[in-house]
Amino acid sequence: MAGEKKEYYVEGIPVPETPGPGESLPPWGKTRVLGSRRPRVDAYERVSGTAVYPSDIVLPGMLYGAVLRSPHANALVKSVDTRKAAGMPGVRAIITGSTPGADLPWTYRGGGGVASKLFDPHCRYEGDAVAAVAADSRDEAWDAVRAIEVQYDVLPYVADMEAALRKGAPRVHEEGNEAKTESYERGSVQEGFARADAVLTETYRTECELHTPLELHGCVARWDGDALNIWESTQGVYSVQSQVAETLGLPLSKVRVIGHYMGGGFGSKLWPGKYTIIAALLAKKTARPVKLFLSREETYLSVGNRPPALMTLKAGVKRDGTLTALEFTATGTGGAYLSGGISLLDWLVRDLYTCPNVRTRATDVYINAGPARPFRAPGHPQCSWALEQMMDSLAEAIGMDPVELRLKNIPTVSQAKEKPYSTTGLRACIEQGARAFGWKEARERSRSQGGGHLRRGAGMAAALWFAGDGGPPSTVVVKLFSDGSVNLNMGASDIGTGTKTVMAMVVSEELGIRPELIQIENADTGTTQYATPSGGSKTVPTEAPAVRRAAVRVKRQLLEMASEDLGVPAGDLRLEGDEIFSPGDGARRVKLTGISRLKKRGVVVGVGYRGPNPADKVINPFSAQFCEVEVNTRTGEVRILRFVGANESGRVMDALTFGSQVIGGITMGIGLGMTEMRVLDEARTGKLCNGNWHDYKLPTALDVPADIQPVPIDMPDPEANPAGAKGLGEPVTIPTAAAIAGAVHDATGVRPTGTPMTPVLLAELLARKTEKG
Ligand code: MOS
């Protein structure tokens, strides 16, 4: 075909020969694989226990690390005496803040702000690291930790964010406890409130939730000469690599991070922990591999939380349902360091509903407690708790159905980002969710039930997630072997959300090969390509386009090779299954395994990059949830009977995994709404009272209804990216707690303004209502 202009077509549209990183691909037409229900490609490994998670790693000669942590909420470390511990059986190394090489700076990502140290001589929260031990066994390491003698200068503490702002409160940092304030304004709320027919003000509170991924936080570190290898339970191997290299002053090429499997992160494993650096230092000192995984109790103290939020919302609405003004004032806390204590806390007020006049102000306060971390949709479920309950109250005030009020205020542009949405399925989520749930009928039933003590109610809440668009950079390599099987090489972690499965489906869609023939290599900085951490509901929209491009480039080469064998221009050939043929001349066909040049070359490689997002559009996913509860008005107990979760995240990639995300998000939202809260001993010690799985109440199977119905809204977004997909993992948890609160109100007439909705809290609200008559 020499000299001939080569063109390659997808769905009849030409694709440029030498595309740049952002090469455009036309949207898929009818798909064969995407959109179907596919079980996880690694399901067998995961459920059979043969998948090797970082916490499963055992290396020859491996030592175990353990960390000594401050038992005080606020204390200065006066002296650390390691002599006794050093002489104990099995002890190989002890490091403290004064060990040469261990005096390192440490930054709590997610907020910037004040500097701290790996072993900070000022421990500003219970559980901050003071020293660490490596020993032959875990028990010996822990015995030695307990034998280290530390003299602390115990300081006054503050464990509550409102108390921290009072005059005379103990100062967490020299400069005071007000860490930072963020504000936003558009229009004039004064004018908006003046035009309203109803103006309501209410104060809401959500409690702090502690990160509880099933796999604990930790790693195994091993040095090969001057190169460091780390097996870490992480959402992003490249993110761990860069912070470790920076902290230890190593070239990136000398830090290899591997995390093939990981048991959940939810935002708490986007970056390395102090444990990562400590393991590396202990491994260096002992010239042995060191395994350092935290206990559950240690993770509850130190790896992060969804910060508590205290929120006052004033809202104005006209009789016809037009929102005229929203004013939101909030306080949050990232604990003892700037770590995202008010991150995105006002976002839904800014952007979920059409409203010309909005003012928000959020203050991040220091207290003596462990750091905040991103936690599945930072800020959004908290804001939803306030905004969505307020929407219900406004609807009640003007005598309008809550669904109708929301439908009246659906924006087509992002008012906060001042650009139109590429697509918005908010209306579809609300309408189709309401239909699937039987909203009108359920609300009717609440109106007409008798006077018994078991009362049913229905509630709903809508949401958007401020990101979920994904974006560059990402590099992916697809390698096709001469037998037609494929290796997919990408840096991204599958954090339990089905990333590997979805990407195998993308390759399968493009190359027509069965997903079982695709071997995935991922999450290893030594052998796989660059990827940003899996978080922000961006993994599918980031990686799927890069995977698709890589597969298309493989396909293009196959067609060109086959064109030589068949004497038909590549542009006239089709790849289907394991064959390439000319639709115009059925006799001209060749099996992949028969392509001459492929046989000679052995493999064909396609590299795909993630191109930029459109500059003039906002790409967000949307959500609406509906819930029915039964409240026992004598005991305050709430039984959640059923949930419907409608989500629009662009294209539905794997319908099975889509539904699993909805169920998981609702489960987590039930935790926020019903059971979870960090309890600090504010009065006497500042210490964490419920830092274990017995006292910290995660929702169990008894708290989560069997009847959760996902309603996928399949709206491939042609402008978002060549996969048409937006993020899903976070929008599925944003409206849950608020929807339950709406249902509780519908059932009982009381409005629980604080989480969690425990029987004690509800019984108290119900008793107060009865007193008032
Ligand atoms: Mo997520 S909270 O970005 O892992």
Side-chain angles (χ1 to χ4, degrees):
M1 304 297 114
E4 222 183 272
K5 186 169 168 281
K6 287 177 188 163
E7 270 190 329
Y8 169 68
Y9 293 82
V10 173
E11 307 289 342
I13 301 169
V15 174
E17 166 75 7
T18 49
E23 95 187 324
S24 65
L25 285 174
W28 283 296
K30 198 172 154 37
T31 53
R32 295 170 303 103
V33 182
L34 291 167
S36 64
R37 294 171 64 85
R38 290 282 165 151
R40 301 289 171 91
V41 291
D42 52 6
Y44 179 81
E45 291 86 326
R46 286 181 186 270
V47 300
S48 64
T50 55
V52 178
Y53 287 72
S55 47
D56 295 324
I57 298 276
V58 176
L59 299 176
M62 187 177 84
L63 304 174
Y64 293 82
V67 178
L68 173 66
R69 297 174 183 279
S70 167
H72 306 293
N74 194 17
L76 296 173
V77 176
K78 302 311 285 182
S79 67
V80 183
D81 186 342
T82 60
R83 281 170 300 182
K84 190 170 154 213
M88 291 181 63
V91 173
R92 303 286 176 161
I94 302 179
I95 55 174
T96 72
S98 52
T99 305
D103 182 20
L104 294 169
W106 181 256
T107 312
Y108 291 88
R109 296 283 163 121
V114 293
S116 63
K117 291 189 155 191
L118 186 65
F119 299 108
D120 203 293
H122 187 168
C123 294
R124 291 182 170 90
Y125 62 91
E126 183 196 6
D128 203 359
V130 177
V133 175
D136 290 344
S137 72
R138 228 178 119 85
D139 288 345
E140 286 166 323
W142 276 106
D143 284 346
V145 158
R146 280 186 277 266
I148 297 173
E149 287 164 16
V150 185
Q151 287 194 311
Y152 294 99
D153 201 346
V154 180
L155 303 172
Y157 64 86
V158 60
D160 172 72
M161 57 189 183
E162 287 168 276
L165 289 176
R166 278 182 214 125
K167 251 200 161 70
R171 289 183 166 214
V172 180
H173 293 281
E174 279 301 303
E175 66 269 27
N177 293 341
E178 196 174 316
K180 77 170 171 196
T181 294
E182 287 175 357
S183 49
Y184 168 83
E185 187 161 12
R186 70 169 177 258
S188 157
V189 287
Q190 283 85 352
E191 281 171 31
F193 289 128
R195 285 198 293 117
D197 293 314
V199 176
L200 300 177
T201 305
E202 183 64 81
T203 297
Y204 307 88
R205 185 185 168 97
T206 55
E207 291 295 338
C208 176
E209 287 186 283
L210 298 171
H211 264 299
T212 313
L214 265 187
E215 186 180 34
L216 294 157
H217 294 64
C219 69
V220 177
R222 187 192 76 199
W223 292 82
D224 287 335
D226 62 351
L228 173 61
N229 301 279
I230 296 171
W231 289 261
E232 171 136 334
S233 181
T234 179
Q235 294 173 238
V237 289
Y238 277 94
S239 151
V240 172
Q241 182 205 38
S242 67
Q243 198 176 343
V244 168
E246 193 186 317
T247 307
L248 294 176
L250 294 169
L252 291 169
S253 61
K254 298 291 184 185
V255 181
R256 179 176 175 189
V257 181
I258 306 160
H260 293 144
Y261 288 91
M262 64 88 67
F266 305 102
S268 67
K269 294 178 185 167
L270 290 165
W271 306 293
K274 283 190 177 182
Y275 46 82
T276 318
I277 306 297
I278 291 171
L281 293 174
L282 289 170
K284 181 107 198 168
K285 201 152 187 253
T286 57
R288 301 270 288 269
V290 170
K291 182 172 193 168
L292 175 47
F293 272 81
L294 309 192
S295 67
R296 185 62 63 185
E297 289 78 4
E298 289 178 282
T299 67
Y300 274 165
L301 288 170
S302 64
V303 304
N305 58 64
R306 182 191 294 290
L310 182 64
M311 304 165 283
T312 298
L313 181 60
K314 181 178 177 185
V317 69
K318 289 215 256 195
R319 213 162 280 123
D320 68 357
T322 309
L323 284 177
T324 62
L326 293 168
E327 187 172 19
F328 179 77
T329 317
T331 312
T333 175
Y337 291 93
L338 266 178
S339 56
I342 52 169
S343 185
L344 299 171
L345 187 51
D346 66 349
W347 196 264
L348 292 178
V349 167
R350 289 194 205 186
D351 230 15
L352 181 56
Y353 298 116
T354 303
C355 185
N357 308 300
V358 174
R359 186 155 74 193
T360 74
R361 189 181 153 82
T363 302
D364 194 349
V365 179
Y366 291 125
I367 65 171
N368 293 108
R373 290 285 80 174
F375 192 131
R376 204 171 191 172
H380 286 53
Q382 299 96 299
C383 192
S384 169
W385 176 254
L387 176 64
E388 293 299 277
Q389 292 207 65
M390 177 55 82
M391 290 297 281
D392 285 356
S393 298
L394 293 174
E396 199 178 1
I398 58 171
M400 188 178 270
D401 181 88
V403 163
E404 202 186 321
L405 176 61
R406 286 166 172 92
L407 289 174
K408 274 222 79 131
N409 292 285
I410 292 193
T412 54
V413 300
S414 164
Q415 300 158 94
K417 293 179 180 169
E418 299 176 0
K419 287 175 198 171
Y421 291 115
S422 53
T423 54
T424 162
L426 182 56
R427 176 176 297 279
C429 287
I430 296 174
E431 287 178 346
Q432 292 182 42
R435 205 172 309 136
F437 182 79
W439 171 255
K440 284 216 161 70
E441 300 77 5
R443 296 284 280 196
E444 277 307 315
R445 279 200 299 280
S446 332
R447 297 292 87 79
S448 58
Q449 64 191 321
H453 70 285
L454 296 177
R455 302 198 58 81
R456 293 204 171 186
M460 61 84 58
L464 65 74
W465 164 238
F466 102 114
D469 48 352
S474 168
T475 303
V476 164
V477 174
V478 168
K479 181 162 81 176
L480 184 127
F481 295 92
S482 55
D483 66 351
S485 63
V486 163
N487 177 303
L488 165 60
N489 178 300
M490 64 171 180
S493 302
D494 184 338
I495 58 175
T497 52
T499 305
K500 285 156 75 180
T501 307
V502 171
M503 297 314 142
M505 289 171 77
V506 170
V507 172
S508 175
E509 186 70 50
E510 220 35 88
L511 293 180
I513 75 163
R514 284 177 293 140
E516 305 86 81
L517 291 181
I518 300 166
Q519 177 62 30
I520 300 174
E521 310 289 341
N522 77 314
D524 178 343
T525 63
T527 60
T528 68
Q529 311 312 310
Y530 187 82
T532 49
S534 295
S537 302
K538 67 168 185 53
T539 316
V540 165
T542 296
E543 305 301 333
V547 171
R548 187 180 176 206
R549 287 198 177 96
V552 163
R553 287 176 179 185
V554 166
K555 181 151 82 175
R556 184 187 303 134
Q557 293 172 73
L558 288 175
L559 295 176
E560 279 164 12
M561 291 176 181
S563 146
E564 290 170 11
D565 287 329
L566 298 175
V568 176
D572 294 344
L573 291 173
R574 283 274 158 92
L575 167 67
E576 242 172 58
D578 59 353
E579 247 184 358
I580 289 174
F581 66 100
S582 161
D585 178 359
R588 296 189 183 246
R589 53 178 63 231
V590 59
K591 292 255 184 224
L592 286 191
T593 48
I595 298 174
S596 317
R597 199 136 67 88
L598 178 58
K599 277 196 261 186
K600 276 190 219 131
R601 271 173 58 175
V603 295
V604 180
V605 169
V607 182
Y609 301 97
R610 176 58 157 89
N613 289 335
D616 54 346
K617 290 288 165 66
V618 171
I619 297 155
N620 284 168
F622 299 88
S623 176
Q625 291 180 0
F626 299 78
C627 150
E628 186 166 7
V629 300
E630 183 181 84
V631 183
N632 183 330
T633 58
R634 289 181 186 155
T635 63
E637 285 165 289
V638 176
R639 212 151 61 87
I640 300 170
L641 301 175
R642 64 193 180 100
F643 248 100
V644 164
N647 280 84
E648 186 268 304
S649 292
R651 179 187 298 282
V652 174
M653 301 294 273
D654 176 345
L656 182 59
T657 270
F658 193 101
S660 304
Q661 283 292 306
V662 172
I663 293 166
I666 287 173
T667 302
M668 212 156 170
I670 288 172
L672 173 68
M674 305 305 296
T675 65
E676 292 183 51
M677 77 182 283
R678 173 183 72 184
V679 179
L680 297 174
D681 177 11
E682 284 160 25
R684 293 181 310 117
T685 64
K687 285 161 71 79
L688 180 62
C689 301
N690 60 341
N692 58 67
W693 265 6
H694 181 266
D695 297 316
Y696 184 80
K697 300 298 183 190
L698 290 166
T700 69
L702 295 178
D703 302 299
V704 179
D707 184 0
I708 299 180
Q709 186 193 345
V711 176
I713 313 282
D714 188 25
M715 286 176 53
D717 186 335
E719 289 182 274
N721 57 64
K726 305 189 273 192
L728 178 65
E730 284 160 303
V732 290
T733 204
I734 296 167
T736 306
I740 304 168
V744 166
H745 178 262
D746 187 49
T748 62
V750 303
R751 195 155 275 302
T753 55
T755 67
M757 291 176 270
T758 59
V760 174
L761 177 99
L762 279 181
E764 197 182 305
L765 291 175
L766 288 160
R768 244 188 273 158
K769 182 188 164 225
T770 316
E771 274 166 36
K772 274 198 237 159

